[in-house]
Structure formats: structure tokens, C-alpha cells
Amino acid sequence: MSDATSRPRFGPNDILRFFLELVAIAAVAMWGIFSWPFPWNIGVGIAAPALVILIWALFNSPRAVFHLDLFGRSLVEIIVMFAAALALFSLGGPMQIVAAVFAVVAAVSGLIHGRRQLAD
């Protein structure tokens, strides 16, 4: 087996999906910090992104602890990305536009990834 075939392939959509994961974590952290009063904003601002990271690591990461089928992984991804978009939307103002753009890009990227997984 050659070295080129043993390495995982990464395409532009994989890079976009990683960026979307980072944005989702940041969005939930911003929501926690800006939506709660002072003593609570620190706790929620740390706990909310930690929960998103935990859920992603348990179910959707390449080395996930719980291996789900394509439907299960897609459902977890939809929940995480929807929560991030909802968190951005709840911040109001121009963040609502950012939330809409994020939701559309995440949905299209997820569809492309899902179709590629079904083809494999």
C-alpha cells in the first residue's frame, strides 16, 4: 500500500467544516458571555462551549467515542449547528445576519458531506 493511499483525504469542504465547528464553539461562548448577567456569564461562557466540544468529541469527531451511523452523526451535527445559529441569532442586531449566513453555509456543507458519505 502506498503512502498516498493510507493518508486520509481532506478537501475544501472538510476545511470548511472544521472552520464551522470552530465558529459554532465561538458562537456558543459569545452567547454565554453576552446573554447572562455578570456572575453567570463566566460560568455559562465556559460551560456552553465545553458542552459543544464534548458532544462533538463523543459523537462526531473522527475518533468519536460512540460510533453512530450517518443518520445519527448528521442529527448531532444539525443540533450543534442549529444551537450555534440560534445563539448568534439571540444576540440580536447584525449578529442575526451572521446567524442566517452561518446556518445556510453549515446546511450546504453538511449536505455535501452527507452525499459524499453516502457515495462511499
Side-chain angles (χ1 to χ4, degrees), residues 47-74:
L51 182 63
V52 168
I53 292 168
L54 179 66
I55 290 170
W56 198 269
L58 288 176
F59 300 107
N60 265 17
S61 74
R63 296 182 184 180
V65 175
F66 301 107
H67 297 283
L68 301 175
D69 62 346
L70 180 60
F71 177 76
R73 288 190 316 265
S74 298

Side-chain angles (χ1 to χ4, degrees), residues 4-110:
T5 58
S6 63
R7 292 185 187 172
R9 295 180 321 175
F10 293 107
N13 192 44
D14 296 318
I15 296 167
L16 175 64
R17 288 171 54 77
F18 178 70
F19 176 71
L20 289 170
E21 293 167 22
L22 294 177
V23 171
I25 293 166
V28 174
M30 285 175 36
W31 170 79
I33 291 170
F34 295 122
S35 295
W36 293 82
F38 170 61
W40 296 104
N41 68 343
I42 296 170
V44 176
I46 293 171
L51 182 63
V52 168
I53 292 168
L54 179 66
I55 290 170
W56 198 269
L58 288 176
F59 300 107
N60 265 17
S61 74
R63 296 182 184 180
V65 175
F66 301 107
H67 297 283
L68 301 175
D69 62 346
L70 180 60
F71 177 76
R73 288 190 316 265
S74 298
L75 187 61
V76 170
E77 182 175 348
I78 289 168
I79 290 169
V80 168
M81 295 301 169
F82 180 74
L86 194 60
L88 287 171
F89 189 81
S90 73
L91 293 175
M95 294 308 283
Q96 292 179 338
I97 296 170
V98 173
V101 171
F102 174 79
V104 169
V105 171
V108 170
S109 177

